[in-house]
Amino acid sequence: MKFIKFTVAPLALLCIILACKKTDTSPTNTTSAVVPDVYKKIYGATSITSDGTYITIKSNDLPDHVSAYYNSSNSLYQSFSGTTFNGRTFSKNPNSIASQTLTFKIPLNPVEATTHASTPLGPIGVSLNGVPFFNQYAAMNAPLTNEANGFDQYYGHPQQSGQYHYHVEPLYLTTVKATKSSLLGFLLDGFPVYGPEENGVTVSNSNLDAYHGHKHATADYPNGIYHYHITNTDPYINGSGFYGTAGTVSQ
Ligand SMILES: [Zn+2]
Ligand SMILES: [Zn+2]
């Protein structure tokens, strides 16, 4: 039975190596790995798992804050009138928030892509409360100028299927749950998204590259990392495409 001897010995060795590397008590297998703490900041996720290569984040896309777009029977419904993003007069769109499962699969160790793909319409990333980020365009790649009139009291709105999203600063996260200089989520390429301020100073587009980011140490990444910043002028979250290679989102 030479065959058995030759296969069992390396397998046993591998088990010993893996056991030594383990840092928690979760079972060692090929589909689960430790989720780094930084992803646990996505408090609105319904689950966060890792396979060691990708982080998989699931969300039901229900904002944890009041909105004029919840059905009036919902406890988080709150009517809204007056001024929204950048001084616009709020004009409610005909859609209502609907629960839906979004599954974001993002690289655990993001790297710069050699070709920077454009961001698609629809979800381009996930914020801390599980609501997706959208890019700087409305349907048909039209500018947000008119659509932004429909941003609610926390600067989000639902599209036709009820999918709630943020194209600009998620005001509830920057003023209630976190701060204007906090980590606010991740784009699909795995790079983190930060708020509109840094060291007490408002970040402007001129501080950022074509993709709307730059690289330096942050509170969450003391060794430095490329990260996006949200600003209050177009393109708001992302510029000319993903800095890294985007993962996937299924909906
Ligand atoms: Zn929109
Ligand atoms: Zn920065």
Side-chain angles (χ1 to χ4, degrees):
M1 298 299 279
K2 276 183 180 171
F3 176 75
I4 290 174
K5 277 186 185 168
F6 277 104
T7 54
V8 168
L11 196 65
L13 187 62
L14 183 68
C15 290
I16 291 164
I17 291 168
L18 288 174
C20 291
K21 277 190 168 180
K22 269 173 64 177
T23 54
D24 70 0
T25 54
S26 63
T28 301
N29 62 50
T30 54
T31 56
S32 75
V34 173
V35 174
D37 284 345
V38 68
Y39 299 101
K40 295 174 186 167
K41 291 194 167 189
I42 308 171
Y43 69 88
T46 51
S47 77
I48 305 175
T49 55
S50 173
D51 63 5
T53 305
Y54 288 93
I55 299 286
T56 299
I57 300 151
K58 290 182 187 273
S59 161
N60 60 14
D61 195 15
L62 293 174
D64 59 329
H65 55 71
V66 298
S67 172
Y69 289 105
Y70 269 118
N71 287 319
S72 55
S73 58
N74 191 300
S75 60
L76 287 174
Y77 168 76
Q78 188 178 84
S79 66
F80 178 55
S81 62
T83 304
T84 182
F85 181 65
N86 280 357
R88 291 170 167 83
T89 300
F90 177 63
S91 171
K92 196 166 179 274
N93 79 28
N95 310 319
S96 293
I97 296 171
S99 175
Q100 47 210 282
T101 301
L102 300 178
T103 304
F104 302 89
K105 194 175 168 187
I106 68 173
L108 172 62
N109 296 302
V111 289
E112 182 180 4
T114 46
T115 331
H116 299 270
S118 304
T119 55
L121 292 176
I124 65 165
V126 58
S127 67
L128 301 187
N129 61 357
V131 167
F133 290 124
F134 273 34
N135 72 12
Q136 70 273 39
Y137 299 113
M140 314 290 285
N141 286 330
L144 284 178
T145 319
N146 295 322
E147 184 159 328
N149 297 337
F151 293 171
D152 68 12
Q153 47 270 65
Y154 286 119
Y155 297 174
H157 71 168
Q159 40 74 301
Q160 303 88 303
S161 69
Q163 186 175 84
Y164 190 81
H165 57 276
Y166 302 121
H167 294 270
V168 300
E169 176 182 349
L171 199 59
Y172 187 69
L173 299 180
T174 57
T175 60
V176 179
K177 285 291 181 174
T179 71
K180 288 187 183 280
S181 58
S182 300
L183 174 97
L184 299 176
F186 295 85
L187 292 196
L188 290 177
D189 61 2
F191 286 106
V193 178
Y194 281 80
E197 291 182 8
E198 201 154 60
N199 303 318
V201 178
T202 301
V203 178
S204 70
N205 292 349
S206 62
N207 303 130
L208 306 171
D209 67 14
Y211 313 100
H212 223 237
H214 59 191
K215 188 175 182 178
H216 61 77
T218 71
D220 311 281
Y221 296 92
N223 296 327
I225 191 165
Y226 183 87
H227 56 280
Y228 301 101
H229 277 283
I230 298 179
T231 64
N232 66 0
T233 51
D234 190 296
Y236 312 113
I237 299 174
N238 176 269
S240 311
F242 290 110
Y243 182 74
T245 302
T248 58
V249 59
S250 52
Q251 43 188 317

